[in-house]
């Protein structure tokens, strides 16, 4: 439960702190005193949305700190998220800078607002003053039915399944729409693959066959040139090899007179040997070169085929093998990407999952609708609507994120009348009573230890207000209940009473919170009863309310 709430520089509060105990506690005060500001502050401490307007004018930051007692389940959650503090208690803090930035802390350790909200939902359940108005909207009625049925997690799963179904359906439709274009591309790529695969061109082959074509095309010139060179070396009128051999003999004879000629002799000897070997090699080459017109024609046909295929696909002939690999890969991608049957199966499976969840939710809603209608009917009878009854009607709707039901609350305000929609039949007071009944029933179904009602009793008064106070007090016997109220009949039945006041000053108005003693409670309830002028009669009435 909430043990302590401390505020600094929040809206019109410069500094305030108050402790809370178990049972039923009310906050009262003049209109505009700032009662709901405390609920806003607590909402921020629990992870609500922050903005710069929450910082008191002239201050650098607002600081809100709430301390709660814990149970073993909450302690386990804190340990799981590495946020544990002293056992049995948890501190939740929110700091809001003047520029709107904020920091969240749990047990003095940084935490995300999402974690604060998750923890806050386990600690506090807040029923706002405008909740009855949301009953006029279909989704508001559905949300209340789902809350009483404990369907929150299932509806979240249904929304996820619906999103997946829609995504797979869009993917299938898009793939189907592109199938024709993909088919044309697949056929074109398949033709390209066929053209290039038929060539069976190996890497490096283009360069090799071009070399072979040159050799075959100039075979006669090669033979003639090789033979002529061999004759110049070994035959003819002045054979080079013979001349070099004679020169070697002459120089060798001279070296005995001057050794410095030996280097030149060695070079000429090497030249003579090379010339002789070159003559043999050229003669051998001339013997091996064939004049093969048929092979030349075959090679030229091969070159022509490769060049023509490359031209049609606008490729350089030497890039054909790499291009073939790329086209084969693209063909495989196109074939896999357009597996419409697989996409259709995925869409059907996602739809079936969503419809199964919708069916389960509908069944649970039907059961909960009967139970909720009976419980509200019983509850509103105690709130001054004897003979009235509420029906919760489920109608089939298109499957969506929240299921396949349209939920409508219908009320008969008096015995013997036909139930009609809330918007058509319910007065403001009747709507408030239905909203309050649902809030009380929802609170009873919710295991959180602290319940807060922010003027949820608006629109009722007199004897009904006294019943409301009794309901709150009974809830306070089981858990901590905090109620912001203007009704003296409600305030008189609280275990504790806090008064909120706005005090004007030079630096602007500021808010104070005071825990009231018995005599102070009499004065406050008398003010709530009688307005500006408090008489002995109103004080007596206030004491009577407190005594009862």
């Amino acid at each position: 439960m909430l043990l302590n709430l401390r505020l600094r520089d929040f809206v019109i509060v410069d500094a305030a702190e108050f402790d809370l105990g178990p049972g039923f506690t009310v906050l009262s005060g003049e209109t505009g005193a700032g009662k709901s500001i405390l609920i806003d502050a607590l909402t921020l401490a629990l992870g609500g949305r922050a903005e710069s307007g929450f910082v008191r004018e002239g201050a650098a930051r607002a600081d809100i700190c709430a301390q709660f007692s814990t149970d073993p389940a909450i302690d386990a959650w804190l340990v799981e998220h590495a946020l544990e503090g002293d056992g049995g208690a948890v501190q939740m803090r929110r700091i809001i800078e003047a520029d709107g930035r904020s920091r969240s802390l749990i047990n003095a350790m940084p935490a995300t607002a999402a974690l604060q909200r998750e923890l806050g939902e386990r600690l506090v359940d807040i029923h706002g003053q405008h909740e009855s108005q949301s009953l006029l909207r279909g989704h508001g009625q559905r949300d209340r039915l789902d809350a009483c049925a404990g369907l929150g997690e299932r509806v979240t799963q249904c929304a996820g399944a619906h999103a997946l179904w829609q995504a797979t359906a869009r993917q299938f439709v898009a793939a189907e729409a592109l199938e024709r274009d993909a088919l044309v591309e697949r056929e074109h790529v398949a033709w390209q693959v066929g053209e290039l695969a038929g060539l069976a061109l190996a890497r490096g082959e283009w360069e090799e066959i071009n070399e072979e074509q040159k050799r075959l095309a100039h075979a006669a010139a090669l033979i003639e040139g090789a033979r002529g060179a061999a004759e110049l070396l070994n035959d003819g009128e002045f054979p080079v090899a013979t001349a070099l051999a004679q020169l070697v003999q002459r120089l060798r004879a001279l070296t005995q007179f001057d050794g410095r000629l030996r280097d030149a002799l060695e070079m000429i000897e090497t030249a003579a040997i090379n010339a002789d070997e070159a003559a043999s090699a050229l003669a051998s080459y001339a013997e091996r070169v064939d004049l093969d017109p048929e092979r030349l024609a075959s090679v030229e046909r091969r070159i022509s085929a490769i060049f023509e295929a490359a031209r049609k696909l606008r490729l350089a002939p030497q890039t054909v093998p790499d291009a073939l690999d790329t086209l084969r890969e693209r063909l495989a991608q196109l074939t896999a990407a357009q597996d419409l049957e697989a996409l259709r199966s995925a869409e059907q499976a996602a739809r079936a999952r969503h419809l199964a969840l919708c069916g389960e939710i509908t069944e649970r809603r039907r059961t909960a609708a009967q139970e909720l209608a009976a419980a509200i009917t019983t509850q509103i009878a105690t709130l001054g609507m004897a003979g009235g009854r509420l029906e919760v009607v489920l109608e089939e709707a298109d499957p969506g994120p929240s299921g396949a039901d349209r939920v409508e609350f219908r009320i008969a305000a008096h015995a013997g009348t036909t139930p009609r929609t809330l918007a058509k039949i319910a007065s403001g007071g009747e709507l408030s009573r239905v909203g309050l009944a649902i809030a009380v029933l929802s609170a009873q179904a919710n295991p959180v230890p602290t319940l807060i009602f922010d003027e949820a009793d608006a629109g009722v008064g007199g004897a009904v207000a006294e019943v409301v106070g009794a309901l709150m007090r009974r809830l306070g016997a089981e858990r901590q209940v905090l109620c912001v109220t203007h009704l003296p009949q409600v305030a008189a039945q609280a275990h504790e009473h806090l008064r909120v006041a706005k005090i004007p000053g030079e630096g602007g108005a500021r808010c104070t919170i005071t825990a009231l003693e018995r005599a102070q409670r009499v004065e406050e309830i008398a003010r709530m009863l009688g307005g500006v002028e408090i008489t002995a009669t109103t004080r007596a009435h206030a004491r009577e309310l407190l005594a009862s």
Side-chain angles (χ1 to χ4, degrees):
M1 70 177 185
L2 178 61
L3 301 175
N4 176 272
L5 182 62
R6 187 172 68 249
L7 315 177
R8 182 175 294 278
D9 294 326
F10 181 73
V11 191
I12 61 172
V13 179
D14 55 356
E17 180 176 4
F18 61 95
D19 297 326
L20 286 166
F24 174 33
T25 300
V26 294
L27 285 89
S28 67
E30 295 284 1
T31 300
K35 300 181 297 300
S36 293
I37 286 176
L38 301 179
I39 307 302
D40 293 338
L42 184 58
T43 301
L44 284 167
L46 298 173
R49 183 183 177 188
E51 57 184 51
S52 59
F54 287 123
V55 181
R56 189 170 65 88
E57 188 173 352
R61 65 188 59 84
D63 193 342
I64 306 154
C65 184
Q67 187 167 15
F68 296 85
S69 61
T70 60
D71 57 26
I74 296 296
D75 289 335
W77 186 94
L78 292 168
V79 170
E80 178 185 351
H81 293 87
L83 294 168
E84 65 271 22
D86 297 332
V90 60
Q91 185 186 82
M92 300 181 71
R93 187 179 177 193
R94 193 75 176 273
I95 301 171
I96 306 166
E97 304 292 340
D99 61 4
R101 292 178 297 113
S102 69
R103 288 178 287 150
S104 301
L105 298 102
I106 298 176
N107 285 330
M109 289 176 279
T112 64
L115 272 180
Q116 272 199 315
R117 284 192 294 271
E118 184 178 344
L119 178 56
E121 289 170 358
R122 296 167 181 263
L123 293 169
V124 178
D125 186 16
I126 300 177
H127 297 268
Q129 56 181 310
H130 302 297
E131 284 193 4
S132 62
Q133 295 301 315
S134 68
L135 281 172
L136 298 178
R137 299 187 291 271
H139 68 81
Q141 296 171 12
R142 185 194 64 223
D143 291 346
R144 277 161 178 75
L145 175 61
D146 290 347
C148 291
L151 278 170
E153 183 177 352
R154 263 292 182 259
V155 171
T156 299
Q157 292 174 352
C158 183
H162 180 265
L164 178 61
W165 171 33
Q166 295 302 301
T168 54
R170 286 192 298 270
Q171 186 178 6
F172 173 71
V173 170
E176 197 172 34
L178 292 172
E179 182 181 20
R180 180 174 299 174
D181 291 342
L183 179 61
V184 171
E185 185 181 359
R186 282 204 308 275
E187 290 176 349
H188 181 63
V189 173
W191 169 78
Q192 291 177 311
V193 168
E195 286 285 312
L196 299 185
L199 292 175
L201 182 64
R203 283 182 173 79
E205 182 185 352
W206 174 253
E207 291 78 9
E208 291 175 1
I209 60 174
N210 273 279
E211 288 294 325
E212 184 177 6
Q213 188 272 339
K214 290 177 186 177
R215 187 169 61 252
L216 291 170
H218 299 85
L222 291 171
I223 293 171
E224 182 180 354
R227 286 176 177 172
E231 289 178 357
L232 286 173
L233 288 171
N234 275 336
D235 299 317
E237 185 177 357
F238 301 104
V240 174
T242 302
L244 289 172
Q246 292 174 351
L247 187 57
V248 166
Q249 292 177 355
R250 186 175 301 174
L251 287 174
R252 185 177 291 126
L254 294 175
T255 56
Q256 58 183 328
F257 304 115
D258 190 347
R260 288 178 295 179
L261 291 173
R262 287 193 182 93
D263 290 340
L265 173 62
E266 290 176 0
M267 289 186 282
I268 295 173
E269 285 178 335
T270 301
I273 294 170
N274 289 337
D276 190 56
E277 291 178 354
S280 298
L282 288 168
S284 177
Y285 172 81
E287 293 294 328
R288 290 196 309 272
V289 174
D290 294 327
L291 291 170
D292 191 345
E294 292 183 3
R295 174 58 183 168
L296 175 61
S298 174
V299 168
E300 289 180 341
R301 285 194 300 271
R302 174 70 169 159
I303 290 174
S304 178
I306 294 171
F307 185 82
E308 183 62 21
R311 185 190 62 80
K312 283 194 291 186
L313 274 64
R314 297 182 180 180
L315 298 171
Q318 63 270 24
T319 66
V320 165
D322 290 334
L324 178 59
D325 289 344
T326 301
L327 288 168
R328 281 173 171 162
E329 183 178 347
R330 177 58 181 161
L331 184 60
Q333 290 173 348
L334 287 169
T335 302
Q338 298 303 315
D339 190 348
L340 289 179
E341 286 305 315
L343 291 175
R344 182 183 286 108
S345 297
E347 187 269 339
Q348 291 174 345
R351 180 175 182 272
R353 167 64 176 161
H354 177 248
L355 292 180
L357 284 169
C358 287
E360 179 188 341
I361 288 171
T362 296
E363 289 302 313
R364 291 176 61 178
R365 280 175 177 161
R366 286 197 184 113
T367 301
Q370 296 175 357
E371 297 173 352
L372 181 62
I376 292 176
T377 297
T378 300
Q379 194 74 71
I380 62 176
T382 67
L383 296 172
M385 293 177 65
R389 74 182 190 279
L390 186 104
E391 292 182 353
V392 181
V393 180
L394 264 67
E395 297 177 343
E396 186 176 349
D398 293 334
S402 300
D405 308 302
R406 185 165 44 252
V407 178
E408 184 176 72
F409 286 10
R410 298 175 184 173
I411 189 170
H414 310 285
T417 58
T418 302
R420 298 177 64 187
T421 62
L422 292 180
K424 291 182 178 179
I425 196 66
S427 67
E430 289 166 345
L431 190 61
S432 293
R433 295 177 215 185
V434 173
L436 181 59
I438 294 174
V440 171
L441 291 169
S442 300
Q444 290 172 336
N446 195 331
V448 298
T450 298
L451 307 174
I452 296 177
F453 295 91
D454 183 11
E455 297 190 33
D457 53 6
V460 300
V464 174
E466 190 171 342
V467 174
V468 171
L471 283 173
M472 299 285 185
R473 190 175 180 92
R474 281 202 298 272
L475 281 173
E478 300 173 1
R479 64 190 82 183
Q480 185 185 47
V481 177
L482 182 62
C483 177
V484 175
T485 186
H486 287 285
L487 301 177
Q489 297 91 337
V490 174
Q493 299 196 58
H495 298 103
E496 300 290 339
H497 193 151
L498 300 174
R499 183 178 62 205
V500 182
K502 184 164 65 174
I503 302 173
E506 293 183 3
R510 62 186 184 89
C511 181
T512 64
I513 304 160
T514 307
L516 302 182
E517 301 293 338
R518 174 76 179 186
Q520 293 172 310
R521 289 190 71 180
V522 171
E523 290 297 309
E524 176 64 7
I525 292 174
R527 182 197 63 77
M528 298 170 77
L529 283 165
V532 176
E533 185 176 351
I534 301 175
T535 66
T537 301
T538 54
R539 288 190 178 93
H541 190 186
R543 281 191 288 269
E544 183 180 353
L545 281 176
L546 284 168
S548 65

